[in-house]
Amino acid sequence: MDPLFAPPTEPWQRVSPKLATMRILEAAALAVLAATAAIVLAWLSPLPGWLGSVGLVTAVLGGALGSVLLVRNARSWGYAERAEDIYVTQGVMFRRLAVVPYGRMQFVDVTAGPVARLFGVAEVHLHTANPDTNLRIPGLVHDEAIRLRDRLTALGESSAAGL
């Protein structure tokens, strides 16, 4: 791993592999919708029939490429909890490393949409006063999301108490 994006002492905690599976399912659903739209438009359109085939192939290739990119992105997420702050990293082509001191956190919330609940994962949001440093960690299994929420809340309260 690039030392620029490595936490000084703690190993990275990775998100659940279910996030990648969920993203593949979402890309596949979008590709099916696009392919269906291409077929219907080709059937209803007075244009040549081969245009429908081009649309269908484009939808399938776009879904396949999207799946690969979404899986790589899902695997790039990680976090490291330290004594005074939390590191969150993401990205494949454009990497991002954010460090948020516990004392700067205002609140922590957990969200899970219907598809995420189906896969048993949730997303933890860390909110600070500066909207540029608001962080999210997607793809955490429910127990880990609850544990992280409770730990970050407790550490944030104890760190802010000294201010």
Side-chain angles (χ1 to χ4, degrees):
M1 172 176 271
D2 185 353
L4 178 65
F5 296 100
T9 56
E10 286 76 17
W12 287 114
Q13 301 296 317
R14 293 293 171 192
V15 299
S16 172
K18 294 178 181 180
L19 179 63
T21 306
M22 185 177 78
R23 299 265 169 96
I24 289 172
L25 179 67
E26 291 170 343
L30 188 59
V32 166
L33 285 174
T36 303
I39 291 169
V40 168
L41 287 175
W43 184 61
L44 296 175
S45 174
L47 297 173
W50 61 269
L51 286 176
S53 299
V54 169
L56 180 63
V57 169
T58 302
V60 169
L61 290 177
L65 178 63
S67 293
V68 169
L69 295 176
L70 289 171
V71 167
R72 288 192 64 202
N73 180 269
R75 290 182 180 160
S76 74
W77 284 91
Y79 63 98
E81 300 171 68
R82 297 180 0 124
E84 300 294 323
D85 49 31
I86 184 168
Y87 281 55
V88 178
T89 186
Q90 72 175 63
V92 177
M93 183 177 228
F94 297 98
R95 303 277 317 208
R96 177 182 184 207
L97 173 68
V99 182
V100 176
Y102 297 130
R104 299 284 184 207
M105 289 187 299
Q106 292 186 326
F107 67 96
V108 179
D109 64 347
V110 178
T111 59
V115 176
R117 287 193 310 269
L118 181 69
F119 279 88
V121 295
E123 186 170 293
V124 173
H125 293 260
L126 302 108
H127 299 272
T128 64
N130 183 352
D132 290 338
T133 57
N134 291 344
L135 295 178
R136 68 186 186 96
I137 306 170
L140 297 175
V141 293
H142 286 162
D143 292 341
E144 177 63 9
I146 292 167
R147 184 204 66 79
L148 187 60
R149 178 202 61 200
D150 294 345
R151 182 169 190 276
L152 292 176
T153 301
L155 288 169
E157 288 173 356
S158 66
S159 295
L163 294 177

